[in-house]
Amino acid sequence: MQPQLKISAANQLSELPGIIDRVEEFLTTAGEATPRIYKICMIIDELFNNVVSYAFSDSEHHDIELVISSGENGIEMTVTDDGIAFNPLGKAAPDTSVPIEDRPIGGLGLHLIRSMANNINYKRTGKFNILHIELR
């Protein structure tokens, strides 16, 4: 069985430093190299920020779940939330040939995640957004 870390956090940006600390500790124990840990934490930071900032239309408490597995084939992570349905894979990649000052705000984080991951899948199951990412 693969080592696994499961974190449930409230939809508050103040939760992020604790999440990153736990992920770093888990990945270090799993034997991941520091540059790879940094890359994975960047992905988690971007995803968590996006969910907290855009997924909820109310100010109620919501749980965001993160599950990370480490194994022979690399790292797999799944982020689940009960926010507004949003498929990040349906968003067009930004045109990076346009000068930065002429580009619309947003979209670069998702583009970055897509460029770093080997495989990304999204599904909506009931009231949940489920994003699964593989890094080999």
Side-chain angles (χ1 to χ4, degrees):
M1 184 168 192
Q2 299 183 110
Q4 188 178 76
L5 173 66
K6 185 175 181 178
I7 300 171
S8 183
N11 56 320
Q12 300 293 321
L13 290 177
S14 60
E15 297 269 350
L16 190 55
I19 293 168
I20 296 299
D21 287 346
R22 290 184 62 196
V23 169
E24 286 176 344
E25 181 180 336
F26 171 75
L27 294 173
T28 299
T29 302
E32 291 294 330
T34 300
R36 188 162 160 86
I37 292 171
Y38 178 71
K39 179 177 169 178
I40 293 164
C41 287
M42 278 181 34
I43 290 171
I44 292 167
D45 184 292
E46 180 63 28
L47 290 174
F48 192 80
N49 265 292
N50 281 349
V51 171
V52 169
S53 299
Y54 305 112
F56 306 105
S57 60
D58 60 38
S59 58
E60 301 297 315
H61 173 89
H62 295 271
D63 287 323
I64 301 166
E65 183 180 272
L66 169 66
V67 178
I68 301 179
S69 301
S70 172
E72 287 180 17
N73 294 327
I75 299 293
E76 292 186 24
M77 63 180 107
T78 304
V79 177
T80 305
D81 68 76
D82 67 341
I84 298 163
F86 176 69
N87 180 355
L89 305 179
K91 190 120 169 99
D95 184 355
T96 56
S97 66
V98 175
I100 191 97
E101 60 274 1
D102 295 334
R103 289 187 216 160
I105 294 173
L108 285 177
L110 292 173
H111 176 66
L112 178 70
I113 292 169
R114 283 188 262 193
S115 69
M116 290 193 287
N118 296 96
N119 190 27
I120 304 177
N121 293 299
Y122 167 84
K123 66 181 176 180
R124 179 81 176 179
T125 302
K127 66 176 187 173
F128 296 101
N129 293 301
I130 303 169
L131 187 66
H132 183 79
I133 300 171
E134 296 175 8
L135 297 110
R136 295 186 185 88

